[in-house]
Every structure is written in C-alpha cells, then in structure tokens.
Amino acid sequence: MRTDTVWGALPAREHLLADATVAPLLDVTIPVHNEERDLEPCVRRLHGHLAATFPYSFRITVADNASTDGTAEVAVRLAAEIPEVRAYRLEEKGRGRALRTVWTDSDAPVLAYMDVDLSTGLNALLPLVAPLISGHSDLAIGSRLSRSSRVVRGPKREFISRSYNLILKSSLSARFSDAQCGFKAIRGDVAERLVPMVKDSGWFFDTEMLVLAERAGLRIHEVPVDWVDDPDSRVHLVSTAVADLRGVWRVGRALAVGALPLDRLARPFGDDPRDRQISGVPRGLARQLVGFCVVGALSTLLYLLLYSVFRTVGGPQIANGAALLVSAVVNTAANRRLTFGVRGRRGAVRHQAQGLVVFAIGLALTSGSLAALDAASGDPAHSTELAVLIAANLAATVVRFLLLRAWVFPDLPDPRDRSELPDPRDRSELPDAQDRSDLPDPYDPRTAR
C-alpha cells in the first residue's frame, strides 16, 4: 500500500486484475503473539487452501508482534520454505498495531486478516474478498451472528459477543452485525485513507475501523461464516472488554463533537449514482425537507410564544396576525440560508417579499380556522384556539414548503454539484501554469488517489 497519501477523491471502484509481476492480488495477514505451536499448522493449512481454491495470486504475511517464545523463528523458517509466505516482526504488542504496520507496507490491492486459530471456516475466504475484487464493496467482514452462520461456542462468549454488538448499536448506531470476528478484508486504496484515522492499536482496532467506514458511507459486505471457538484462546475477556468500552466512549465522543475528519472518506468514489445528473429528477429534496422541518419546528415554537404574548394585549385575530408576521420573516430568512443554501444579500429583499405572499396564504388558512372556530363555539378556550392553530399551521406548512421550493427558491444549485465549482483542470490562473501539466486530475479515475 502506498504511503504518499493524497486527500483527494479515490478512483472509482473497478474490477481488480492480478499482475504477478507487480504484487499479489491478496495479502492475508496473520497477527500472532507467542503462537509457536499453532503457527505452522495454520500457515500450511491456509496456504494449501489458497493454492487449491483461490484463482488469483496471493501472499500470507505472519505479523509477529513481540512474541517471547519461538514464534519468530517458526515464521522465518516458513517464509524460507514457502515462496508465498513472508515474516514480519514487531517489537510491540497489539493486533491493531500489527495490522496497521503490515497493511501500510503492503502493495496488494486487497488486504485481509484472520486469527491464527483458524476458527473461521476457510470456505468463506473467497466470498469475503470477492466483492472487493469485483469493485462492489469497500470492506468485508465475517459474521458469526448472521442467521445462516454455523457457530459452535460456549454461552459465555455468545453472551459477551451479542452484548458488545448491542452496545455498539445503541451507542454508536452501528449497523454491522459482528465487530470482533477475526475475519475481515479491505481494499488497499480504502485502507490507505481509513487506517491512518484509526487510533486504537489493540483489539478495538476492528470496531473503530468499521464505525468510521460506516459513518463515512463506505460499503461493508457481510459474509456468514462457520465458526468453532478455540478453547485455548489467549484473549483476556475482562481486560479486552474494558479496553473496548473505553474505545467506544472515545469514538462516540469524537463523533459527537465532529473531531473525526470523515469528509476525507465520505462518498469518495466517482461511481456514486447520487452524484449523477439526471434530468427530471429533483436534487436535494430529502436534505431540504430535513432543513425545512427543523426550521419549521423552531418557527412554530416562536409563533406560539409570540401568539401567547400578543394575546394578552389584543384579540385572537390581531395576535395571530402579528405573531405570524414576525415568525414568517424569521422563517423565510432561516429557510433561505439553512434549507436552500442561499448566501449573501443578493435577492434577499425579493425573497422576503415573496415570503410575505406565502405568509398571506398561511394567514388566510389560520385566520379562517379561527373565524370558523369562533362561529362554531362563540367563546372558545385558549387551549382550543392553540389546538386549531396548530392543525391549521400543519396545512400551511405543506403549502409553504411547496411554494418556497417551486417559486421563492427555484432551481438553485445543489451545493454538492461540482459543475458550480471551479474546474481544477483549468490551470490558466495558476502561477507557472506551463509547469503544472503534471498535476493529477481529481476527476480522472486513472490519476485521482
């Protein structure tokens, strides 16, 4: 994997083609610590499976992180005997540290890892990496919690695993089903951007990587796996659980305050259909509806507050008109800026004038409702007036949004539309333009990184 990271758009996902003269297509990392007994059977079994079933070139990397037994010697011997095996030695412990180091140094376009105990059935390896090779997905994970998975393990580990994933779903809004299954893969170009953002160096590395990827909109493919728990597992459940909970708190806090640079990953590929210009399909409707609803809710609260204040000094019609007028001016200004993304003073007066026309329509609806209520009951209670006004305002809100979108702020450029931005390929205004011909084109998937 390249280390000269450039924070631009990643190239569009394409089917990866193996080139044995450059690098293997798949690099499977096995992080180990004091596994001299299990390492050789694991590597030979994995190598035999890949040689017999995997249709592309591959490499197996043993990442020995600070072993104190004979693990390093076994890894070096296997690397000498098997051409597709290499040994990597780290002087510090941590599965996350081992994966970050090996993946950063790897030149393979698809990176994967699995635990040395091979608890996961190897038949799931090709389905794991196939969506990454084809260009369909960015990451892939094995899931022991899928309905079609076949899992053999004790009730204690089952309870811990499901409880941990429940914590992730409730605290970090995670949608993936199994964070800690030691069976994952990632495209090399995605790892180049994503891995440097992951801070954890231990067991929480997987979870943090998946949460960031999911929040950035990357596509995660899940594969149901066959899993047989290793009774000789070296994982210390209590200390690992405590470290994971600390990681959940750290990532959750960072997401809450916006400290993570997810804009470097958000929708990074050039083949996202949401970026395509399609005639006849309105853009930005969902975003505008959310903004309009937020502004509308706050405006309604302001309107009701003003109505209650004005009602103490005047009749219902006067209070309604004054409250609606003030809230309409505020509502138009807020929608202009927040919902429809209009900046600056240009056209502000015209927009407010059109907003007052919309206000008049709303006034007619609400005043008509009050008049009908007064005719029906004579002297209605204040709470009844408020209930009728809320219902009338709901109807007026629908009309207001349609008029704002179609008449007041029609056909405004979507802020995500690149056509409104300066074309970085136009270097006529750059100094020394004749010397900038070698700059990468961020819109060309062959040169963008």
Side-chain angles (χ1 to χ4, degrees), residues 112-129:
Y113 94 89
M114 60 180 59
D115 294 333
V116 69
D117 54 21
L118 295 186
S119 295
T120 307
L122 293 179
N123 287 335
L125 182 55
L126 183 56
L128 182 79
V129 300

Side-chain angles (χ1 to χ4, degrees), residues 29 66 171 175 197 231 250 275 373 378 387 400 415 420 424:
T29 302
S171 60
R175 295 189 298 272
M197 298 182 189
R250 174 176 55 81
D275 290 330
L373 176 64
R400 186 183 305 123
E420 300 295 327

Side-chain angles (χ1 to χ4, degrees), residues 28 46 95 112-115 118-129 140-144 178-185 206 221 223-225 227:
V28 182
L46 176 60
R95 181 176 69 176
Y113 94 89
M114 60 180 59
D115 294 333
L118 295 186
S119 295
T120 307
L122 293 179
N123 287 335
L125 182 55
L126 183 56
L128 182 79
V129 300
I141 64 174
S143 175
R144 299 163 295 185
D178 193 350
Q180 290 287 30
C181 179
F183 194 69
K184 295 182 175 67
D206 302 49
H221 178 73
V223 177
V225 298
W227 178 280

Side-chain angles (χ1 to χ4, degrees), residues 272-284 405 417 419:
D272 195 319
R274 294 170 294 182
D275 290 330
R276 297 175 187 170
Q277 295 288 348
I278 304 176
S279 59
V281 178
R283 292 173 57 81
R405 180 175 172 85
D417 189 354
S419 64

Side-chain angles (χ1 to χ4, degrees), residues 56-112:
Y56 302 96
S57 57
F58 64 89
R59 176 197 297 143
I60 300 173
T61 300
V62 179
D64 171 30
N65 47 328
S67 293
T68 56
D69 59 0
T71 300
E73 290 75 10
V74 175
V76 171
R77 176 168 54 82
L78 289 171
E81 296 177 3
I82 306 174
E84 291 82 8
V85 175
R86 71 168 178 170
Y88 216 107
R89 169 72 180 181
L90 292 88
E91 298 302 329
E92 295 181 87
K93 287 183 62 177
R95 181 176 69 176
R97 179 178 289 106
L99 293 176
R100 179 186 296 110
T101 303
V102 173
W103 284 357
T104 301
D105 187 57
S106 179
D107 53 358
V110 177
L111 308 168

